[in-house]
Structures are given as C-alpha cells and as structure tokens.
Amino acid sequence: MPNMDANDFQERFYTSSDGLKLYARDYRSNEAVAAGRLPVICLPGLTRNSRDFHPLALLLSRDATAPRRVIALDSRGRGNSAWDENKANYNLAIEAGDILTACAEFGIERAIFIGTSRGGLILHLIAATRPDLLEAVILNDIGPVIEAEGLALIRDYLNSGRRPADWNEAADILQENHGASFTALEEQDWREMALALYRDVGGRPVADFDPAIAEALKSIDFGRPLPDLWEQFASLSRLPLMLIRGKNSPLLSEETANEMARRHSALILHAADGQGHAPLLHLGNIPAAIRAFITACC
C-alpha cells in the first residue's frame, strides 16, 4: 500500500440513523471544491473497506488537471466502522441508508459513485430510490445477476477458518485463494492487498470485518435461483454508466455484462485483463479509463 501520511486524507466519523458509529476517509481536494467539481464516493465490497480505494483516491484527488474530492466509506461491520449487534442489519437496504446518511453528513447533494461488488449492488438500490444523488456510476465487477458458483467460492474461502500467523502468510493465503484468476498481480500487489484486507492486532493480521458477515453466506440456498436486480438496474439507464469486469471473474459473467450493455446502450464496458473478482482499480489501464469516464461525464 502506498505510504500514507496526515496529508493524504481526513478521517471522518459519523453516526448512522440507528446510532452506529461509522467511518470514512475524506480525500478533500481544496482545488476541486473551489472549482465546483463533483466528488467521487467509493463503496467497497462485502468484507472490504475504504483502504481498497486508497491508491485510486490519491490519483483522483491529486490529478494534475482536474483533481476531485474523494470519499471512501467503511460499511457497518467493516474497517473502522462499528460492528452491529443486530447481525440482521448487514443487508443492502440498511447499508444503502448508511450511504444516504454519509452524504447528508458530508454535504454531498450529488456525486459520482464507484461501487465494488456489494457496493455496486447498493448503488442499484440508490438508483431506484434516490436517483437525485447520482451524477454517474462506475460498477466494479458487479451487475444485476450474481453467479451462484462465484458466490459459493466467496462463501467457502471466507469461512475456511485459516488464519495467518504473520503478514507474509496473509499475502500467501490471498495468493493461494485468488492467484489463478489474478495473474496480473505481482508479489507487492498481494502484500498491498493483505494490508487492505487485514488489520494489525498485536502484531498479527486479523480479517478486518465482523465474522457474522461471512457466516451469513452459509445460510444461502444455492439450490434455488438467486434474486436479480434487473428492475433496479433500469433506474441506471438515464445515467452515464461504466462497468469494469475482471476477465476472470466468477461472479459477473460475460453474458450478464453483455446484457447490461444491451439494456444500457451508452454503457462503457472495460475489461480488466488478468484480474478476477473484484479488479484492483489502481492497476493497469483501469485508472486512465476511470479518469477519462469521469472527465467525459461531468
């Protein structure tokens, strides 16, 4: 992970509508605010957190020609946000409400949103319920249809029970689990991924999310079709939309990506070579594609 100092971002805490303490990183570019450029809001995946977006947030907030304010959120139960005693609250509707609370807290009336995996599912709901917040959307390896096989893989590795003894082993575990689909990653990338996914507890890396989130995947009946979000996806049709798909993704099929493009004729589809679910947004030509999309739409 790139070096971080006090000038990179401001740590922000706010309170959810049901009283939970939530966390965000605010990469506040004064130049972007003065120029009136819309901010970028980043929503992480199921068990991930704001650290996933740090390299991209630095690129966007320090852009030489058009810097942006970037806010990366920790969902409840992840990262520096508090764990919820009511585990049933780890659901898309509640977490979508937390995003609305964050926008109100930070004075965001309209923004460009990037949603990785679960974060992208949340954006489907917000598009259907609060479309006024969305200027443009980038979906990172997620769509209205989730492949059951891919979700089962996530369930299995999150509940494998293997815990790293040190940071080298944490990187090794990640490479063992994902190396076949993330052929573009080098040794340093796996170490940076470990730093994003784990937190240091007494010198030992510990997964940085409430274990109840992974446990809930065990209750899914994979013998039945998973519900889709095509109705909510239709609400994205009026917006500039970019879809980043890992070429080796087991969660978002090429068929679903093509159907999204058919239903949203202006969708920009970007394939992430050598990456699976979900692509790291600061690698390869992805940052350039994101910057071009953001510049073109607003």
Side-chain angles (χ1 to χ4, degrees):
M1 190 65 67
N3 291 330
M4 291 179 282
D5 59 42
N7 296 319
D8 286 342
F9 57 86
Q10 180 183 0
E11 294 192 298
R12 305 285 296 271
F13 287 93
Y14 61 103
T15 304
S16 70
S17 61
D18 57 353
L20 211 63
K21 188 177 183 181
L22 303 178
Y23 173 86
R25 290 180 168 192
D26 191 346
Y27 300 76
R28 190 176 180 88
S29 167
N30 291 330
E31 181 182 340
V33 174
R37 299 188 192 97
L38 291 178
V40 177
I41 312 295
C42 301
L43 312 182
L46 176 67
T47 58
R48 308 298 293 231
N49 58 70
S50 58
R51 297 195 296 277
D52 270 349
F53 296 102
H54 181 67
L56 179 67
L58 290 181
L59 289 171
L60 296 179
S61 64
R62 296 176 177 178
D63 186 273
T65 56
R68 298 272 177 173
R69 180 187 183 188
V70 181
I71 300 174
L73 304 177
D74 282 355
S75 302
R76 60 176 62 208
R78 293 86 159 177
N80 289 329
S81 288
W83 293 9
D84 199 321
E85 292 184 3
N86 181 359
K87 307 308 179 184
N89 285 339
Y90 295 133
N91 66 68
L92 295 178
I94 294 290
E95 291 168 25
D98 292 341
I99 305 307
L100 304 185
T101 298
C103 289
E105 176 72 20
F106 303 141
I108 306 300
E109 297 181 353
R110 198 165 182 83
I112 303 157
F113 284 79
I114 301 175
T116 292
S117 194
R118 186 180 181 88
L121 296 178
I122 291 172
L123 288 176
H124 280 70
L125 300 191
I126 292 177
T129 57
R130 282 291 309 275
D132 56 295
L133 274 177
L134 309 178
E135 176 68 25
V137 169
I138 298 173
L139 299 175
N140 184 20
D141 210 58
I142 196 66
V145 176
I146 293 176
E147 297 302 310
E149 181 180 354
L151 189 57
L153 288 173
I154 294 173
R155 174 202 61 193
D156 292 344
Y157 75 70
L158 287 179
N159 290 286
S160 67
R162 185 177 176 188
R163 303 291 182 262
D166 55 39
W167 287 98
N168 287 332
E169 187 177 2
D172 290 343
I173 290 174
L174 291 173
Q175 188 168 9
E176 289 170 14
N177 285 331
H178 309 292
S181 56
F182 281 87
T183 56
L185 271 62
E186 299 179 355
E187 182 178 354
Q188 182 60 28
D189 297 317
W190 294 111
R191 294 183 182 278
E192 291 179 359
M193 185 187 291
L195 291 171
L197 179 58
Y198 296 92
R199 71 162 57 238
D200 190 295
V201 178
R204 182 169 181 167
V206 176
D208 202 6
F209 59 87
D210 186 340
I213 296 169
E215 183 72 22
L217 294 179
K218 295 180 180 179
S219 65
I220 297 176
D221 181 0
F222 287 96
R224 302 174 60 183
L226 297 174
D228 66 60
L229 292 174
W230 284 119
E231 182 178 350
Q232 290 79 6
F233 179 78
S235 300
L236 293 167
S237 62
R238 65 174 185 82
L239 297 172
L241 182 63
M242 179 178 185
L243 173 63
I244 298 168
R245 178 181 179 270
K247 278 197 171 181
N248 303 322
S249 175
L251 200 76
L252 176 65
S253 71
E254 187 173 4
E255 178 183 7
T256 296
N258 290 337
E259 179 62 17
M260 292 167 70
R262 189 188 72 80
R263 298 192 187 202
H264 190 304
S265 59
L267 180 145
I268 295 175
L269 179 57
H270 182 88
D273 292 330
Q275 296 208 61
H277 181 80
L280 304 183
L281 298 180
H282 60 283
L283 295 185
N285 58 3
I286 298 177
I290 289 176
R291 290 165 68 184
F293 173 77
I294 290 175
T295 300
C297 68
C298 46

